[in-house]
């Protein structure tokens, strides 16, 4: 049997539509030694109808529903999105689930990790994926690529437990300059950059959304530390001041 | 994406109680390139209420319900049972799911394999397990060992696909003497042995059931070929004749 020390790992269900899947996800977490479940923008009846699954009562009780994705990942330092890989317009590498050493590299395991699952119908949107440091593909067939949500969560939790890859909670919550920045502080930099780029005319109306998605991805790919974020924020503030924003 | 050539692999659900789980199991098969689902002794309403899951229509349509386990595995040459490992009276080694090379050795992959899942409440009984060449443990936590049936099927199918371990259908259905014997022919030997041992007083009323379970396991562990079965059957027939059975 596995050890079940508390981990720094959070599973996030984005806009789930079926309350049974929330309970099923909770049970999968409990089966494989994970504890933290968060649900983004469930339809209110979905959330109210969520019943505890056998053995997962504590997880369902502790699960939180939040209004949008940024609330669910703001304190995270590493975000992984899941996909069946059936959408064709992805311009990013999808890492097979069975390579957790790649989608959850060692340095990321020491931080606070979130694993995102999109809604049953549509999966994660391109914008939601832009918040992810890595995208994982569950190796399903071309004939039937899309998994049931509860089953997808179970398979991912199994893979984590299989490889002993479940991150342990960081020893201290103290913030170090050299630690990876969390999503919230990166989003602050992003918002400043958006303001500056908008003002300078870099963002064109037609391509604005796509450009911003690329910009966020670029920021995530830099794997900024808290110190980096501070410096970048200072630079942008200075530009804002000069531009009289 | 995986290749999806037809395999010699069958998933068998024993006495499932929830029709949703049958549909979910079918979908997991479709997700990972398996095709054959069989259900043993479902309550009739359970079977009637089974709805196709997305993408698994063909599998549900082709799925068969049979009356007892022997019908579901009679033509199999290798049978694997799944368990959470929470039952304490097991006297057999449970092989972790992530060692498919052990619970599904190379020689077994060339045959006709069945993977058994017990009912949601009780799992596989000791007698049902006695039909298995190998028992697989899904590495769940002590706190919440029991998985949802549909999720357990998904995790096992994932592991098979992960390792490229899904057996391909044997090239020819022709029976060779040196091929592994199927369960049905082993059961014929078993039935003969039971008759002989009963008649000679080897089977005591109190321990009869347990002794027979051990005997079946012993026969399976021998990994008999068709030729072995023929010879053993002949020996037992001769003893029966001598005992005037």
């Amino acid at each position: 049997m596995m050890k079940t020390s508390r981990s720094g790992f959070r599973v996030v269900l984005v806009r789930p539509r079926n309350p049974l899947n929330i309970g099923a996800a909770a049970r999968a977490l409990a089966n494989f030694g994970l504890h933290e479940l968060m649900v983004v923008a469930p339809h209110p009846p979905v959330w109210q109808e969520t019943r505890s699954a056998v053995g997962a009562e504590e997880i369902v009780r502790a699960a939180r529903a939040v209004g949008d994705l940024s609330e669910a990942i703001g304190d995270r330092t590493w975000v992984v999105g899941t996909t069946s890989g059936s959408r064709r317009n992805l311009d990013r590498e999808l890492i097979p689930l069975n390579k957790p050493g790649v989608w959850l590299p060692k340095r990321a395991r020491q931080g606070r990790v979130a694993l995102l699952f999109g809604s049953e119908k549509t999966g994660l949107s391109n914008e939601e994926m832009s918040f992810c440091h890595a995208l994982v593909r569950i190796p399903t067939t071309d004939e039937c690529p899309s998994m049931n949500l509860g089953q997808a969560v179970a398979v991912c939790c199994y893979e984590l437990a299989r490889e002993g890859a479940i991150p342990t909670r960081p020893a201290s919550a103290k913030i170090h300059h050299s630690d990876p920045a969390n999503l919230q502080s990166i989003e602050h930099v992003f918002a400043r950059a958006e303001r500056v780029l908008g003002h300078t005319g870099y963002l064109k109306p037609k391509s604005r959304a796509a450009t911003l998605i690329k910009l966020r991805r670029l920021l995530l790919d830099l794997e900024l530390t808290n110190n980096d974020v501070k410096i970048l924020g200072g630079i942008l503030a200075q530009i804002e001041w000069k531009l009289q924003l």
Side-chain angles (χ1 to χ4, degrees), chain A:
Chain A
M1 299 281 164
M2 306 168 11
K3 69 181 164 84
T4 58
S5 64
R6 293 266 152 178
S7 79
F9 203 95
R10 178 183 297 159
V11 169
V12 179
L13 309 181
V14 184
R15 296 171 285 105
R17 301 158 62 105
N18 182 342
L20 285 175
N21 284 336
I22 304 176
R27 183 160 173 189
L29 266 70
N31 286 143
F32 294 108
L34 294 165
H35 298 90
E36 197 183 351
L37 182 65
M38 213 175 254
V39 183
V40 175
H43 295 287
V46 169
W47 184 239
Q48 277 151 29
E49 281 166 29
T50 297
R51 295 274 171 280
S52 183
V54 183
E57 295 80 3
E58 199 200 326
I59 290 172
V60 171
R61 208 163 28 234
R64 282 208 298 137
V66 295
D68 67 24
L69 181 58
S70 65
E71 282 182 77
I73 59 175
D75 66 339
R76 301 289 102 179
T77 56
W78 190 261
V79 179
V80 181
T82 57
T83 168
S84 63
S86 52
R87 202 175 306 173
R88 293 295 165 208
N89 60 347
L90 291 168
D91 55 352
R92 280 214 279 175
E93 196 201 353
L94 301 181
I95 306 163
L97 178 63
N98 62 347
K99 308 275 184 218
V102 181
W103 57 265
L104 190 59
K106 214 164 182 183
R107 62 186 185 285
R109 290 179 201 190
Q110 282 138 26
R112 293 180 297 283
V113 182
L115 184 61
L116 311 189
F117 294 85
S119 89
E120 294 90 337
K121 278 250 163 167
T122 58
L124 294 170
S125 70
N126 281 341
E127 207 220 333
E128 286 156 358
M129 287 187 190
S130 76
F131 286 92
C132 298
H133 294 82
L135 292 181
V136 158
R137 176 175 63 78
I138 303 177
T140 47
T141 60
D142 286 338
E143 288 79 9
C144 185
S146 169
M147 286 194 77
N148 164 280
L149 178 55
Q151 289 175 310
V153 173
V155 163
C156 290
C157 292
Y158 166 71
E159 178 63 42
L160 282 167
R162 185 185 196 284
E163 297 288 299
I166 295 175
T168 50
R169 193 187 290 279
S172 155
K174 199 160 174 264
I175 291 170
H176 295 282
H177 285 311
S178 58
D179 282 349
N182 67 26
L183 263 282
Q184 189 174 38
S185 52
I186 293 172
E187 277 298 301
H188 285 159
V189 170
F190 176 78
R192 283 214 137 121
E194 182 181 355
R195 235 171 8 242
V196 167
L197 296 178
H199 190 76
T200 59
Y202 181 84
L203 298 174
K204 314 289 180 217
K206 272 195 178 167
S207 57
R208 181 187 179 94
T211 304
L212 289 175
I213 282 178
K214 275 181 201 149
L215 175 65
R216 180 181 287 117
R217 195 175 302 164
L218 184 149
L219 277 175
L220 289 185
D221 283 349
L222 295 174
E223 299 187 17
L224 302 170
T225 63
N226 289 316
N227 203 40
D228 298 333
V229 161
K230 213 173 142 191
I231 293 170
L232 268 178
I235 292 172
L236 288 163
Q238 189 65 26
I239 299 174
E240 285 181 315
W241 175 80
K242 190 69 186 168
L243 293 172
Q244 298 183 313
L245 289 179

